[in-house]
Every structure is written in structure tokens, then in C-alpha cells.
Amino acid sequence: MNVNWGNKYNSRALIFSVLIIIIHLLLFPNYIMEIPVLVMGVTIIFWFYFSLTSYFRKWESSAGFRQKLFLHSLIYRIIAIIGVYCLTYFYDPYNLPMEIGAADGWNYHYSGELVSKTLKEGRNVFTALSGYWKNETDYGFSIYLGVVYYYLGPSIILIKLLNAVFGSITAIRVYQIATLIYSEKKARQAAILFMLFPPLLWFSAMYLKETILIFLIVNSSYYILKITHQPEKGIKFVGLLLVSLIPLYYFRLFLIPLIIIAAAIHFFFYFSVAKKNKFLIRFSFILISIGIFFVLRKFNMLEKIYELSNQGSTAFSNELTNSAIQRGVSYKQALIAPFILLGSIITPFPSLINFDENQFGIYMHYQNEIVRNAMYFFVFTGMYCALKNRARNMAYIFSFAVGYIMILALSGVSFQDRFQLLALPFLIFFIPIGLDWQHKKKLKFWEIYLFVITIAILSWNIFKLSIRGLV
């Protein structure tokens, strides 16, 4: 039975992970992170790789896959909520029931209460939020929270549980998308990866909008692909697509044009192999464009998009400076713009050192970055195979993932895990292809890659110390 993953992969991934930690412990004994956090991270890393082996083998052809996927995804996300709650209880109890350093979370909570109160009083929600947020693109999560609060009460724990549910539904959507672009076996692998990937579990336990955003983006992507697979139902899928797509305006504005461009590229490549349905697919794309334009114009959203485009020239310097300050890195000292552009997909690298109290919120999720850095080798090899084999059915996935990463790189925020998260589900689609890549030196290439990543992670942590004069 060939499941493309096993002990030979586990051993290399675990050696890489443990070696990185040991190197930092030996080189920087004065800056060791909190031991419970260190142990927690190692446990999560081991759990991920051994779970990957187990699920790939047991679920390769098991019946009732969707039901099992949803249930297990939900269980792991609830466990993540409990884990983050315990972490906060011991290190930042003031923020309970939020997570550690939950500044954004509390802002969302208060704005959600504002929306709920506004609905009860029969006033205009948008007018109320205009006095709380500076931009309409911040309204989305607040409105979602306010509606939930209005009907079910202002419960923070409930919202986190709903995040777990939406994350589990998204896992099923990932599987459904994957069945449209490659084999059943690879589709199950992609869904299992989404179910287990530590960064996705971590942020699903947070009081943040990323889980809902990923649901909307993945849902939109599913309907775009369904249009090309069932063009006779194009009008139905266009309507469902718009329901998922339009709300993105109130979350992150640039996602709408990015999805439209990625869809246009997908439809263009699909034409060359689906001439019979060319008219229906083109007609569906025209409907999408008209529908989006009509809604944007109806709600005066076009002006906001125009303002965003005018701000593009200063976005890089502003976002990079703000993000660097949050991470304690001086942009002028670091001169890290070229580094961010070159390593925009691989980054962020994990922070493994504790030199001031602000670092706790950064290194407490180091395991997420270590796993991501190691597994991205298969993203790159998967992309290579897709391009080499001219996998036209991957055009949308490739266009969105690369386009999003480019936007992050040009904005200067690609080295922050929260911003990278939205690309992760789309990058995961390439991992099963990379795992299936047949090359006699595949493991050797991965070892070389892991060695380079080890040097990069060590350099990043030394750099953080050196700019503070600590080494």
C-alpha cells in the first residue's frame, strides 16, 4: 500500500524539528523559552507527523470519509480551544476567556456587542460601526459577531466553538475541491492535511476572523471550479458564489479582485480543453463579473476599491514598518525587504528565543512555523510537477496562492503567520502532488532543503538578537 508518507519521512521531519530546538538551546542558554511551552510545541510536532502517517494509511479507502473528516476536525479544533484556554490561564489569565495578548479579539468582541445593541434598537449597523472602525473592510467580522450575539447572546466561547464548526466544514470543502482537481487518494490526503495542520488548528482557537475568512474563500473557490465541471448549472453556482464572495468586501477588500483574476485565469485555461462547454463557461464568468459590479456599485463599494488602488504606492513601506515594529525589528536596521520578497512563501520562520516579555506571544506558536517550513518542500515540488505536467485544472489554485503571497510580499507582511494563513489551504493542495513526485533523489533533495531551512531559522534568530546587541 503506497500512501506516500511513512517512517522515512517522519524520521527526517522529526530529526529536523528536534535538531533546530536543540541547536537553539545549546547556543542561547540564556534565552530559553518557557519550558511548558517548549514541551507543548514538541508534543504538537510529534503528534502532527505521527497522525499524518496514521490517517493517510487508515483513511486511504475507508467508508464514510466526509463524516469522519468533519467529526475528527471538530474534535481537534475543540482540543485546540481547550489548549489555548489553558495556556492563557497560566500565562495571561487577565485575558480569559480570550487568548494571550488578545487586543484584536477584545476589539472584535466590543464591536460585536455594539452591532447586537444596534440591532435591538433598530438603528443602522453601518452607521454605528463607522464610529468604531476606520474602514468598512473591518465591518465583516463585527457584523457576524453582532448577529450571533443578537440571537444567542454575547458568548466568546460560543464564537470559538462556531469557529471550530466552520473550520470543520471547510475541511469538507477542501476535500470536495480536491476531488475536482485530482484523484480520490490525493483528495483525502489534502483534506487530512487541512484537518491536522497546526497553524489552522491554532488560529481556529483564536477570537479572530481568519477562520471565517478561509471558509468564505474556500467556498468561493469551490463554486468557481464547479462552474467549469458542471457548466449547465452555471447560473446556480454563480448565485452561490456571489453569496460567499461579496461579504469579503467587509473583511479584506483585495480578496475580491484577486479571486476574480484567479477565476479568469482558470476559465481561460479550461477553455482549451472544454470547447463543448465554452459558451456556458464564458456566460457564467460574464454573470459573475456583472453581479459583482452591480453589488459593488449598489453599495458604493467601487469608491473604496478606487481609494485602495491609490494607496498602493505607499502600502509596502507602511505595512512593512508597522509589522516590523510589532515583531521588534527595525526596518531601517534590518533592510529586510529583499529577504521578505525572496522568502515570502517559506516565511515566517519560528522564533525560538526569549529575550523580553513581548517575545512570549511570538514564540508560543513556534511549532506551527517549524511544521510549515518543513512541509513546504512538498508545496514547491507539487508546484513544479503541476507546471511540468501542465495541470490546467490547478490554474485557479496556483493563481490564487501565488497571487496572495505576492500581495503579502509587496505589503511587507509575509513574515507574519496570521497574514500567511489564508494562503495555506491553497498551498496544501500541492502537497499531495509533491508527495507523489517520483524521483530517486527526492529524499536527498528534501534533506538539502531542510538543511538550508535550518540555517535560515538559526540566522533569523541570531539576527533578532544581534539588532538588539545581545550577541
Side-chain angles (χ1 to χ4, degrees):
M1 182 183 296
N2 179 22
V3 294
N4 305 120
W5 188 270
N7 292 333
K8 60 183 179 180
Y9 289 99
N10 265 4
S11 60
R12 286 163 174 80
L14 291 173
I15 289 172
F16 159 75
S17 304
V18 173
L19 187 62
I20 286 176
I21 295 170
I22 291 175
I23 289 173
H24 284 78
L25 292 177
L26 294 176
L27 291 181
F28 313 112
N30 296 326
Y31 304 116
I32 296 176
M33 68 178 74
E34 294 285 342
I35 298 302
V37 175
L38 178 66
V39 173
M40 176 197 71
V42 172
T43 302
I44 291 173
I45 291 170
F46 273 76
W47 166 82
F48 171 76
Y49 287 117
F50 282 108
S51 295
L52 205 61
T53 304
S54 177
Y55 279 108
F56 274 12
R57 182 177 294 109
K58 293 179 180 179
W59 284 8
E60 184 177 16
S61 57
S62 65
F65 178 77
R66 291 188 189 181
Q67 293 83 353
K68 292 179 181 178
L69 178 66
F70 176 83
L71 178 61
H72 285 237
S73 294
L74 185 61
I75 290 172
Y76 288 133
R77 278 155 177 77
I78 291 175
I79 291 174
I81 292 171
I82 296 172
V84 170
Y85 187 95
C86 292
L87 198 64
T88 309
Y89 176 82
F90 287 108
Y91 290 103
D92 190 13
Y94 175 78
N95 267 309
L96 287 175
M98 292 284 186
E99 57 277 357
I100 294 173
D104 288 343
W106 286 115
N107 282 330
Y108 288 135
H109 174 65
Y110 296 141
S111 65
E113 288 185 321
L114 174 63
V115 171
S116 176
K117 180 181 178 181
T118 303
L119 290 173
K120 291 176 180 177
E121 295 174 354
R123 295 186 290 115
N124 187 292
V125 169
F126 292 90
T127 302
L129 286 176
S130 65
Y132 195 94
W133 298 112
K134 294 181 180 179
N135 200 303
E136 288 182 358
T137 57
D138 293 319
Y139 291 2
F141 195 53
S142 299
I143 294 174
Y144 161 73
L145 294 176
V147 172
V148 175
Y149 287 177
Y150 177 77
Y151 288 104
L152 302 176
S155 171
I156 292 173
I157 297 298
L158 174 62
I159 296 299
K160 291 192 175 188
L161 291 174
L162 286 175
N163 271 353
V165 173
F166 277 110
S168 303
I169 295 173
T170 308
I172 295 177
R173 272 287 187 252
V174 166
Y175 168 70
Q176 291 174 320
I177 290 174
T179 58
L180 299 176
I181 59 180
Y182 41 51
S183 67
E184 174 71 17
K185 171 188 168 182
K186 289 188 178 66
R188 293 189 177 205
Q189 289 179 340
I192 291 168
L193 282 161
F194 184 90
M195 176 181 75
L196 298 176
F197 230 74
L200 294 167
L201 292 175
W202 180 265
F203 280 98
S204 71
M206 302 288 174
Y207 201 86
L208 297 171
K209 63 183 177 181
E210 271 65 30
T211 299
I212 300 297
L213 253 178
I214 289 174
F215 169 76
L216 292 173
I217 295 169
V218 172
N219 215 39
S220 299
S221 305
Y222 172 71
Y223 290 123
I224 288 171
L225 294 178
K226 287 293 285 185
I227 289 170
T228 53
H229 282 77
Q230 293 180 279
E232 69 279 3
K233 297 182 179 180
I235 295 178
K236 171 187 173 182
F237 292 133
V238 167
L240 293 171
L241 169 63
L242 292 176
V243 171
S244 295
L245 192 60
I246 297 302
L248 292 176
Y249 170 85
Y250 295 104
F251 284 86
R252 284 186 188 160
L253 180 58
F254 70 86
L255 288 172
I256 293 179
L258 175 60
I259 290 175
I260 293 174
I261 292 171
I265 294 172
H266 169 72
F267 291 151
F268 174 80
F269 280 105
Y270 193 86
F271 288 156
S272 62
V273 294
K275 295 180 180 179
K276 180 180 179 180
N277 297 317
K278 184 187 297 185
F279 171 77
L280 290 175
I281 296 172
R282 283 178 173 168
F283 181 69
S284 296
F285 183 67
I286 292 172
L287 284 181
I288 294 171
S289 303
I290 293 175
I292 291 173
F293 177 80
F294 174 80
V295 173
L296 294 180
R297 184 177 180 182
K298 179 72 174 178
F299 293 96
N300 298 320
M301 298 176 181
L302 289 175
E303 295 180 3
K304 296 294 182 180
I305 295 177
Y306 180 72
E307 291 176 9
L308 180 69
S309 64
N310 287 338
Q311 296 168 2
S313 60
T314 59
F316 178 80
S317 57
N318 291 339
E319 293 289 352
L320 180 55
T321 301
N322 293 335
S323 300
I325 291 172
Q326 290 174 10
R327 291 219 162 214
V329 177
S330 170
Y331 175 50
K332 292 181 180 180
Q333 280 183 301
L335 298 177
I336 56 176
F339 172 78
I340 291 172
L341 291 171
L342 292 174
S344 54
I345 294 182
I346 304 174
T347 53
F349 293 124
S351 292
L352 297 157
I353 46 180
N354 180 20
F355 50 83
D356 64 48
E357 61 181 15
N358 294 326
Q359 295 303 304
F360 186 87
I362 298 174
Y363 71 66
M364 69 177 179
H365 50 72
Y366 75 91
Q367 67 279 349
N368 297 347
E369 283 74 53
I370 288 181
V371 169
R372 191 201 314 252
N373 293 157
M375 294 299 294
Y376 271 27
F377 170 80
F378 302 103
V379 172
F380 297 132
T381 53
M383 286 183 172
Y384 166 77
C385 292
L387 292 172
K388 181 181 178 182
N389 297 325
R390 298 182 180 180
R392 300 176 187 273
N393 52 355
M394 296 290 291
Y396 176 84
I397 305 297
F398 185 89
S399 300
F400 181 89
V402 174
Y404 184 81
I405 293 295
M406 289 177 62
I407 291 172
L408 289 190
L410 294 173
S411 302
V413 293
S414 63
F415 60 103
Q416 288 206 26
D417 53 344
R418 180 180 171 185
F419 291 98
Q420 281 274 6
L421 194 70
L422 299 191
L424 185 54
F426 297 88
L427 296 174
I428 282 176
F429 283 116
F430 292 98
I431 294 179
I433 302 175
L435 290 174
D436 199 43
W437 180 43
Q438 302 299 317
H439 195 288
K440 61 181 180 180
K441 294 185 178 181
K442 178 179 177 180
L443 287 175
K444 187 66 176 180
F445 290 152
W446 192 29
E447 290 171 354
I448 295 172
Y449 168 86
L450 292 177
F451 174 77
V452 173
I453 293 298
T454 300
I455 299 301
I457 292 173
L458 180 60
S459 300
W460 171 248
N461 284 272
I462 292 175
F463 165 75
K464 291 185 68 176
L465 291 174
S466 66
I467 62 174
R468 294 169 173 83
L470 299 177
V471 292

